[in-house]
Amino acid sequence: MSSTDTVLPAAERPGAPAADAPTTRRGPLRRLREGRALPGLALGALCLSYACGAATGWGSHQLAVFMGDFGLAAAALAAALSCLVYGCTVGGHARPAWLLFGLSSLTVAFGNGTWGWYELVERTDLPPHSLAAYAFLLFAPLSITGILVLAQRPRSAAGWLCLLLDGWLIAGSLFTLSWSLALGRIAAGEGGSVLDLALKLAYPVLDILLVSLVVGLRFGGRDGNRAAVHTAMMALAVTVICDALFTSPALRSSYHSGELLDAGWFSGSLLLAWAPWSPRWRRPLREHPSAGGLPRRRVATTFSALTPYAAAAVCTAGILYNALGGRQLDRVVAAAACTVGLALILRQGVMLLDNLSLAQELAHKEAHFRSLVQGSSDVIMIAGANGVLSYVSPAALGVYGRDPEELVGGNLLDLVHPEDLDRVLGEVRRYLARVRLTAHRSPGTAEPSARVECRIRSGGGEWLHVESTVSRHRDGLILNSRDVTERVMLQAQLQHNAFHDPLTDLPNRALFTQRLRAALGTRDRQGGRGEPGAGIAVLFLDLDGFKAVNDSAGHQVGDELLVQAARRLQGAVRCGDTVARFGGDEFAALVCGPLGRLQVQELAERLRVALSEPYWIGGAELAVAASIGIAFGTPERGPAADPRTGADELMRNADLAMYRAKSEGKGRVVLYSPAMRADLERRTELDERLRVAVREGGFTLLHQPVVDLASGAVTGVEAHARWRSARGLLLTPAEFLRSAEHGDAATRFARWLIHEAVAAAADRRGLPSRNRTGPAPVPVAVRLSAERLCSPGLYETVAAALREHRLPPGELVIEVARMGPDALADELGRRLAALRRLGVATVLAGYGAGSGSLGALARLPLDGLKLDRTLVQDLGESALSRTLAGHALRLGRDLGLLTGAEGVDLPRQIAALQELGCRQGQGSAFAPPLDEARLRRALVRRGYPLPRPLGSLSARRAYLAADTRTSGCGEPPGERVAPHHGACDLPEHRAVAGPGGGPHGETAVPPA
């Protein structure tokens, strides 16, 4: 775009015809439809009909007299009623004026009615001093008072002086002319009484005064109905003109009712009747921009400025009339003319002083605005219709670094950045169109302004971000511009910070999600076209071992490691891919384009290798690994058609795959499969069912007796949780128990189990036990995993349960079911030591299965161990199982631990355990898990029969008696026992699946 291009198109310049602007002309039919012209047309038609009738003599003398008297009376009565009704219904300062206008019209109606009574009813001429004469005389004083009420009052003494001078100029001039024409002859040529002379002179004098007020006063219409005031003044002016014509001796001598002069009075009355109800209009308030919304000072109009000279001309015409007619100069005319001349001189002096004051005020305001413009920090420029700058404020030197004088005469568009030219011109055109629309819809309202932001070249050559307020100025534009470069840079920095990680400067989760949704939307719009397997892939990455580095080396080193990891990720991906940091040590990568699944897996493997290489920070070598999960969003396997829903589900899938990689050993890449989602939903459902069962009492507690293998006596019981189904059956909750090993619901389940077991043991202890009707108190064992024992608050739960139910700590045994990861070994040891200090016994259950059993015996404070059922079930047939179980029991005896076994279901297993020196056993060979009533009967019985031993009974008993505890707590076997958990599935009492089965394959507990 060249510098000669115009800023304002031709159709948008002031004065140019707008092609698309709606026309403001309205035809007669349209005005009639709107209804505003109908009353005016009806009024004009009525006045024209009366004038035509008066001009033709109404067809008969009687009708002419009737229309000349009672027709005028009816019109005046209509004006009186209209003004009185309007004055009574509206309020404000104009109310007394309309009431006075109504009274003045009422006097006219009374006068015309009286005149018609004499002429039509009495059939005589009007008497010289009738009531009609005095009624007509009251019209002028009442109208004058109403005019004074409506007139704008001057605000200063000079204003009052100018008002009086203007009034006398008009009144004196009219008086001079009237005296020269008629009043002088009336006063000098006719005799009679003083009252007759006063009445004859009062009419013209009052009319002159009324005309002077109508011409000289200003009527502001402060109530907004300026049309009503102006119409009323027009009606009074018409009436006064007719009165002046009637005062002329030539017309008065030949006047008769119903002639053409009555049409003027009739029109004046109808105008006054229509005046209060004329359509309202409000002239727009003219304001000065610097006045803060206050009206600017009124400048004298042409009419008010020419009023004194017109009055002097009228007075001169009266004097010339006497001089040219050869008449002697009357003293009244001379005196009136002198006073008019003196008033004119005084008025000119006042106007001169007023002009000097206005000139000083204008100079002061001009200096004030010039100082504001020159001292403003904003750059003010005025551009013509062709874009040429005609004025540039001095602030351009400080803002743009350019001399204002050099900019004047240049084109505004030459300063604008080429990339912003089209946008700036579009904004200006839209602004001008809005200005035209506003001017058409609301004429007279203030023009709107527009804000345009663009880049302008500074004197140093750099581009500055400038915000300009654009307004109309004559045929061009005025621009108020300010430098907003710092604000734009700050906004850009804030926007960057909102979508980027502050540490690594990578995109954050919000920007990553936005780009993923955009990629999915683009793919959906393309309809999934592309090579098979290509599409969108999301990779979630987590640094394995970063927490250890952060804890050992410090957070500053950890932050530096994250920065280096981010740089490695950026270097390993393609140019168009997105790498983001979600927080902590979690990263993500978005891969889009023609890449197959194999290529994405290779890319993920490269990322894993790059992140797993050693990091050198502060002279030290640090190492972490990476677990990566991949989820594909190709069209054939896309999560959803909606980009928002699809992005969220794709990120959840990648997150699931990443956590599966961590659970499978870390440092690997795992692809998402639908089975992961199904497994997560199943675990979530089971966790929810577990919470509901714990909260609503869906679990109940059974106890399995622990039997001494030497005597058959019951030495303890182990608590088993069972799920109460909807049919009232107690089901073995295999899946519930597996779900109870993880999550917050598992911790709540462990606390419930401890409370219920301790409460049941306390209840049994409170029963009488010295006779055969009450069970003997025995310890109760509760089996928990290592994770549950290390969970926060479990020790406090045990202590609170013992204290609440007043159960001795020696009657509670905590069994460790699984060792868990090696990282929990130290914490598990501390928790078990705390429980032993409390007085609670600790036992390692499930010994011989899994890993870590020997290390646990060496590191953990234990009171006993219990063989796993996998070693017990083949004791009768397998020599290997017998050898392994024997060595395990011998190791426990050597360490001074109380030995036991679980899963003892057959008599031959009891015999084999007796031969190997096992002290205690539990299983279905003695009793399955029992409810409270059956358990108490078993405890009252105090023992179970044992199978006949294979060897010498005395030797067997001596061997078992020699199995005493030589270390550990050093307590006799009868004082500290370690009962063990029974199997969830009882081999010899397994129920067949049927109506009593649970929804997850649970097994119904058989009757005892």
Side-chain angles (χ1 to χ4, degrees):
M1 182 174 291
S2 63
S3 60
T4 58
D5 292 340
T6 59
V7 176
L8 301 180
E12 296 175 351
R13 298 176 198 166
D20 57 346
T23 179
T24 57
R25 296 183 178 180
R26 300 177 181 177
L29 293 179
R30 185 173 181 180
R31 290 198 298 268
L32 287 175
R33 292 192 195 102
E34 293 179 355
R36 295 183 179 181
L38 289 178
L41 291 177
L43 181 66
L46 188 59
C47 294
L48 183 61
S49 300
Y50 191 95
C52 293
T56 58
W58 296 102
S60 64
H61 177 71
Q62 289 293 112
L63 182 59
V65 172
F66 179 83
M67 295 300 298
D69 294 334
F70 291 107
L72 293 181
L77 184 60
L81 294 177
S82 176
C83 293
L84 290 175
V85 170
Y86 183 78
C88 294
T89 55
V90 299
H93 76 286
R95 179 177 182 178
W98 292 108
L99 294 178
L100 290 171
F101 291 156
L103 293 177
S104 65
S105 298
L106 191 61
T107 59
V108 174
F110 178 78
N112 286 318
T114 304
W115 198 322
W117 176 267
Y118 281 106
E119 286 189 340
L120 292 178
V121 179
E122 299 291 340
R123 298 193 180 273
T124 59
D125 294 334
L126 185 69
H129 300 287
S130 65
L131 294 177
Y134 296 103
F136 290 140
L137 185 63
L138 291 176
F139 169 77
L142 294 174
S143 300
I144 290 172
T145 307
I147 290 175
L148 293 176
V149 172
L150 283 179
Q152 291 183 352
R153 295 171 179 80
R155 301 180 180 179
S156 61
W160 281 104
L161 179 60
C162 290
L163 179 61
L164 293 176
L165 292 175
D166 292 343
W168 174 244
L169 284 173
I170 298 172
S173 301
L174 293 177
F175 180 77
T176 302
L177 182 61
S178 300
W179 189 274
S180 301
L181 294 176
L183 296 183
R185 285 179 288 174
I186 293 175
E190 296 185 7
S193 63
V194 178
L195 181 60
D196 293 338
L197 181 61
L199 288 176
K200 292 179 181 180
L201 293 179
Y203 289 110
V205 171
L206 291 176
D207 289 340
I208 291 173
L209 181 58
L210 182 59
V211 170
S212 302
L213 293 177
V214 171
V215 175
L217 294 179
R218 298 187 181 95
F219 305 96
R222 286 172 287 178
D223 59 348
N225 194 1
R226 299 177 60 87
V229 175
H230 291 169
T231 305
M233 296 302 105
M234 186 184 301
L236 294 178
V238 171
T239 303
V240 169
I241 292 175
C242 293
D243 288 344
L245 294 176
F246 180 75
T247 307
S248 173
L251 290 178
R252 187 171 185 178
S253 60
S254 61
Y255 171 79
H256 61 83
S257 298
E259 67 177 20
L260 191 60
L261 185 61
D262 292 343
W265 282 316
F266 185 82
S267 300
S269 298
L270 289 186
L271 279 176
L272 187 59
W274 184 59
W277 317 105
S278 58
R280 293 171 177 260
W281 59 275
R282 185 186 297 271
R283 189 171 61 182
L285 182 64
R286 296 176 297 175
E287 298 179 356
H288 198 278
S290 65
L294 298 176
R296 64 182 182 181
R297 180 172 176 176
R298 182 185 296 271
V299 181
T301 61
T302 303
F303 180 78
S304 61
L306 294 179
T307 299
Y309 303 102
V314 171
C315 182
T316 304
I319 297 175
L320 290 177
Y321 177 79
N322 289 330
L324 295 178
R327 299 180 181 85
Q328 184 178 1
L329 183 63
D330 195 290
R331 289 177 297 176
V332 176
V333 174
C338 291
T339 55
V340 169
L342 181 60
L344 179 61
I345 295 174
L346 293 177
R347 184 67 176 85
Q348 287 297 109
V350 172
M351 290 184 64
L352 180 61
L353 294 177
D354 192 23
N355 290 337
L356 292 177
S357 176
L358 288 175
Q360 293 178 358
E361 183 179 354
L362 181 61
H364 175 72
K365 288 185 177 181
E366 182 180 358
H368 174 68
F369 287 120
R370 184 176 297 276
S371 64
L372 290 178
V373 171
Q374 294 181 353
S376 174
S377 59
D378 296 345
V379 180
I380 299 176
M381 298 182 293
I382 299 177
N386 55 358
V388 177
L389 296 173
S390 59
Y391 174 80
V392 179
S393 66
L397 184 62
V399 176
Y400 299 154
R402 308 185 68 169
D403 189 1
E405 297 181 358
E406 296 179 359
L407 296 177
V408 173
N411 196 282
L412 173 64
L413 301 180
D414 294 340
L415 305 177
V416 181
H417 195 281
E419 298 178 358
D420 299 340
L421 277 177
D422 295 337
R423 181 172 55 83
V424 170
L425 289 176
E427 291 288 342
V428 171
R429 290 190 178 98
R430 283 192 293 271
Y431 162 69
L432 295 175
R434 190 168 70 251
V435 169
R436 294 198 312 272
L437 183 61
T438 303
H440 171 67
R441 292 182 175 178
S442 304
T445 58
E447 292 185 352
S449 60
R451 289 183 179 271
V452 179
E453 189 170 336
C454 63
R455 287 168 290 178
I456 290 183
R457 185 187 298 275
S458 66
E462 66 272 8
W463 294 99
L464 302 177
H465 291 270
V466 176
E467 183 185 62
S468 302
T469 302
V470 182
S471 304
R472 287 287 295 268
H473 177 72
R474 297 180 182 175
D475 59 344
L477 299 174
I478 181 170
L479 297 93
N480 191 346
S481 307
R482 63 190 63 85
D483 184 10
V484 294
T485 304
E486 294 184 359
R487 189 193 71 185
V488 172
M489 295 177 61
L490 179 59
Q491 290 177 349
Q493 183 64 36
L494 292 177
Q495 186 175 7
H496 179 83
N497 295 342
F499 291 99
H500 288 79
D501 177 58
L503 178 62
T504 61
D505 203 36
L506 292 177
N508 57 10
R509 182 184 293 270
L511 183 57
F512 184 87
T513 305
Q514 181 179 347
R515 291 183 179 178
L516 177 57
R517 291 173 179 171
L520 291 175
T522 302
R523 183 202 64 184
D524 295 337
R525 286 192 297 271
Q526 294 177 353
R529 296 187 298 271
E531 62 178 270
I536 301 171
V538 174
L539 286 72
F540 269 36
L541 306 93
D542 187 83
L543 299 182
D544 303 325
F546 174 76
K547 185 177 184 301
V549 172
N550 215 16
D551 294 340
S552 60
H555 291 279
Q556 185 174 0
V557 175
D559 292 343
E560 181 62 27
L561 190 148
L562 291 175
V563 173
Q564 293 187 16
R567 299 297 171 264
R568 293 183 184 183
L569 289 175
Q570 286 181 316
V573 299
R574 300 177 304 168
C575 181
D577 298 335
T578 299
V579 176
R581 178 181 177 231
F582 284 0
D585 57 349
E586 293 185 358
F587 294 87
L590 173 61
V591 180
C592 303
L595 278 180
R597 294 176 179 270
L598 183 60
Q599 288 81 4
V600 174
Q601 293 179 7
E602 293 176 354
L603 173 62
E605 188 63 28
R606 290 199 306 269
L607 295 177
R608 187 193 65 80
V609 173
L611 292 176
S612 301
E613 292 180 356
Y615 297 83
W616 290 91
I617 301 174
E621 181 180 355
L622 302 174
V624 295
S627 298
I628 303 177
I630 306 175
F632 292 95
T634 54
E636 59 270 19
R637 296 186 63 182
D642 183 16
R644 182 180 297 272
T645 305
D648 296 341
E649 187 168 353
L650 192 58
M651 293 172 64
R652 287 196 300 267
N653 295 342
D655 195 27
L656 280 177
M658 185 266 291
Y659 277 104
R660 177 61 62 88
K662 295 180 73 69
S663 64
E664 291 180 356
K666 302 180 180 180
R668 62 188 65 199
V669 177
V670 173
L671 296 178
Y672 168 79
S673 63
M676 298 179 185
R677 172 70 57 186
D679 185 59
L680 175 63
E681 293 175 353
R682 183 184 61 83
R683 291 199 305 268
T684 304
E685 178 187 0
L686 292 177
D687 197 39
E688 177 64 24
R689 293 178 65 187
L690 177 60
R691 284 195 296 268
V692 173
V694 172
R695 183 177 66 249
E696 298 181 355
F699 283 100
T700 188
L701 207 61
L702 301 181
H703 295 82
Q704 187 173 31
V706 179
V707 181
D708 188 283
L709 296 181
S711 62
V714 178
T715 59
V717 294
E718 183 175 356
H720 291 256
R722 291 293 183 268
W723 176 45
R724 190 185 306 275
S725 69
R727 299 182 181 180
L729 299 178
L730 296 180
L731 304 179
T732 303
E735 293 193 52
F736 268 97
L737 294 179
R738 285 197 296 271
S739 175
E741 298 300 330
H742 304 282
D744 182 63
T747 302
R748 290 198 296 269
F749 176 75
R751 293 173 180 172
W752 174 87
L753 185 60
I754 291 173
H755 273 283
E756 291 296 323
V758 171
D763 291 342
R764 289 192 299 271
R765 182 178 178 83
L767 296 176
S769 60
R770 298 304 179 185
N771 50 33
R772 295 185 180 273
T773 60
V778 292
V780 60
V782 178
R783 178 173 294 190
L784 299 173
S785 64
E787 289 86 351
R788 300 285 70 77
L789 285 171
C790 295
S791 62
L794 188 71
Y795 172 82
E796 291 77 5
T797 301
V798 173
L802 293 174
R803 183 171 57 254
E804 179 182 354
H805 300 286
R806 298 181 181 180
L807 182 69
E811 296 188 11
L812 177 62
V813 180
I814 297 297
E815 296 182 355
V816 183
R818 288 198 309 270
M819 291 302 301
D822 294 337
L824 291 178
D826 296 336
E827 180 65 22
L828 180 60
R830 289 191 291 269
R831 295 298 181 96
L832 293 178
L835 291 173
R836 292 189 66 187
R837 288 193 298 270
L838 186 62
V840 178
T842 58
V843 174
L844 178 61
Y847 184 74
S851 59
S853 296
L854 291 177
L857 291 176
R859 288 180 295 177
L860 299 179
L862 298 171
D863 296 323
L865 63 84
K866 184 182 296 186
L867 294 181
D868 188 71
R869 64 181 298 113
T870 57
L871 291 179
V872 176
Q873 61 185 1
D874 295 332
L875 282 179
E877 295 84 6
S878 174
L880 179 60
S881 298
R882 187 182 183 90
T883 302
L884 292 176
H887 284 291
L889 293 173
R890 186 178 301 111
L891 178 61
R893 289 195 300 271
D894 293 342
L895 294 177
L897 302 178
L898 182 63
T899 58
E902 61 180 6
V904 182
D905 300 331
L906 300 175
R908 60 176 177 269
Q909 294 173 351
I910 299 176
L913 290 173
Q914 289 175 341
E915 292 178 2
L916 295 177
C918 183
R919 293 296 306 275
Q920 296 177 350
Q922 65 182 88
S924 59
F926 304 107
L930 306 174
D931 58 15
E932 189 64 25
R934 295 174 182 176
L935 176 64
R936 291 183 180 181
R937 288 197 295 269
L939 293 179
V940 170
R941 194 164 53 242
R942 288 187 173 87
Y944 290 92
L946 297 176
R948 187 178 184 86
L950 299 179
S952 173
L953 179 60
S954 60
R956 183 69 54 197
R957 290 180 177 175
Y959 178 77
L960 293 175
D963 184 13
T964 58
R965 300 173 62 182
T966 59
S967 64
C969 297
E971 297 175 353
E975 296 180 4
R976 296 294 298 275
V977 295
H980 283 257
H981 194 286
C984 296
D985 311 316
L986 304 181
E988 302 207 358
H989 298 278
R990 187 170 301 158
V992 180
H1000 298 283
E1002 301 91 336
T1003 304
V1005 178

